[in-house]
Amino acid sequence: MAVDVGLMATLFYVILVFLVLLLLSFAVPKLHPLLYTVLFFFFLFQALLVIIIPFTKTYIQLFQPLPDPFAKLLIGSAILFFLSDLIARHIEEAGYRSLAALSHFVVKLAILTLWIPQTSSLIEILTSLISK
């Protein structure tokens, strides 16, 4: 069973970031929240590029038999929701609970906006079926 090099590198980065954060929490405690946030977003970007985007492409290929936009919309919506939740938790942990709730709400609205064309076409089909 072959292990992907990107996954192993990401695991290595997690351990490295954890050790750097531990060192910084003792060496420079006042800069720790700022550096923690920078490292969090750097690692999140790295995880997006190495793991999440390739996983998404593979997962979309699994659902090729579904009608065209639905598989992409479902998977994209799930990933956006997960990333939004992750970032909102990070913001809330920093003490900005209302900003975290607002950012998560905005992403939920963005996800709903992505679904509007399919929802409106579905409503039109159901309306035509009911009226016949």
Side-chain angles (χ1 to χ4, degrees):
M1 185 175 216
V3 177
D4 187 52
V5 175
L7 293 174
M8 292 306 293
T10 305
L11 181 60
F12 175 74
Y13 291 146
V14 168
I15 294 169
L16 185 66
V17 165
F18 177 67
L19 292 174
V20 167
L21 285 172
L22 280 177
L23 178 67
L24 289 173
S25 69
F26 290 113
V28 193
K30 290 188 178 189
L31 282 179
H32 184 260
L34 177 66
L35 295 172
Y36 171 66
T37 302
V38 168
L39 287 173
F40 171 80
F41 284 111
F42 174 75
F43 180 72
L44 180 63
F45 180 71
Q46 177 72 20
L48 274 171
L49 289 178
V50 174
I51 297 171
I52 296 173
I53 292 175
F55 172 76
T56 302
K57 289 179 182 177
T58 304
Y59 213 62
I60 286 174
Q61 289 175 354
L62 286 173
F63 291 100
Q64 284 291 330
L66 288 178
D68 187 33
F70 293 109
K72 291 179 184 176
L73 280 174
L74 282 171
I75 295 168
S77 298
I79 289 174
L80 277 176
F81 188 82
F82 174 72
L83 289 175
S84 171
D85 185 50
L86 193 65
I87 291 172
R89 285 184 192 184
H90 182 75
I91 293 171
E92 186 177 337
E93 187 178 290
Y96 302 103
R97 182 177 226 168
S98 60
L99 183 62
L102 181 64
S103 70
H104 198 51
F105 177 71
V106 167
V107 172
K108 288 177 186 177
L109 284 178
I111 290 170
L112 286 175
T113 304
L114 290 173
W115 281 91
I116 286 176
Q118 281 65 38
T119 307
S120 63
S121 65
L122 180 66
I123 289 172
E124 289 175 9
I125 292 171
L126 289 175
T127 304
S128 68
L129 288 175
I130 292 172
S131 64
K132 287 185 179 183

